[in-house]
């Protein structure tokens, strides 16, 4: 059994910062890609940022220069530092990871954490 548990969401004023964390736990052999997605009301879920096990990173254009994804492989944790937040960043943010349990690679989702940016 594997769980992804997110923390760090909340309410912040425009221009402010938040740091999201997502810790994976359970019978984990290793973790490949780790990512953050978000879903705003009435919109499709979108990929915000992805980091490979080796540290290769991709961002959606709308957050480049403002958000930073990082990971601690020893702690099976991924972070998302969000700076210069805008009202359009308001969404539920979901952690996602490709995790090896024994020899099986499975994609897992966290439960989501709400980020609300007030203008």
């Amino acid at each position: 059994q594997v769980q992804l548990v997110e923390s760090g969401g909340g309410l912040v004023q425009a221009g402010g910062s938040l740091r999201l964390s997502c810790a994976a736990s359970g019978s984990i052999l290793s973790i490949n890609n780790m990512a953050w997605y978000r879903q705003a009301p009435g919109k499709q879920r979108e990929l915000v940022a992805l980091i490979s096990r080796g540290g290769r990173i991709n961002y959606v254009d709308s957050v480049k220069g403002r958000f930073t994804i990082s990971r601690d492989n020893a702690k099976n944790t991924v972070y998302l530092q969000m700076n210069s937040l805008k009202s359009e960043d308001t969404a539920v943010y979901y952690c996602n990871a490709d995790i090896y349990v024994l020899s099986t690679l499975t994609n897992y989702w966290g439960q989501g954490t709400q980020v609300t940016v007030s203008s």
Side-chain angles (χ1 to χ4, degrees):
Q1 186 76 6
V2 171
Q3 283 189 319
L4 299 181
V5 179
E6 299 122 334
S7 60
L11 174 65
V12 64
Q13 288 188 334
S17 298
L18 283 174
R19 188 190 194 212
L20 305 182
S21 299
C22 171
S25 63
S27 302
I28 297 169
L29 180 61
S30 66
I31 303 177
N32 285 0
N33 292 338
M34 302 187 83
W36 289 96
Y37 287 73
R38 67 185 179 187
Q39 188 167 19
K43 295 188 176 181
Q44 288 190 333
R45 190 172 297 189
E46 68 169 349
L47 176 64
V48 175
L50 180 147
I51 183 168
S52 72
R53 182 170 182 81
R56 186 180 71 250
I57 290 173
N58 288 302
Y59 295 103
V60 67
D61 285 346
S62 59
V63 308
K64 286 180 180 177
R66 300 188 298 121
F67 290 10
T68 302
I69 189 171
S70 61
R71 63 189 285 173
D72 184 332
N73 290 331
K75 296 181 178 180
N76 291 333
T77 299
V78 63
Y79 305 96
L80 186 67
Q81 178 66 44
M82 304 185 294
N83 299 328
S84 302
L85 283 160
K86 304 176 181 179
S87 57
E88 51 263 44
D89 295 319
T90 295
V92 178
Y93 284 71
Y94 296 91
C95 176
N96 180 272
D98 294 322
I99 299 176
Y100 273 103
V101 177
L102 299 178
S103 60
T104 301
L105 184 64
T106 303
N107 186 259
Y108 291 91
W109 290 93
Q111 81 283 357
T113 185
Q114 177 70 46
V115 171
T116 303
V117 184
S118 63
S119 56

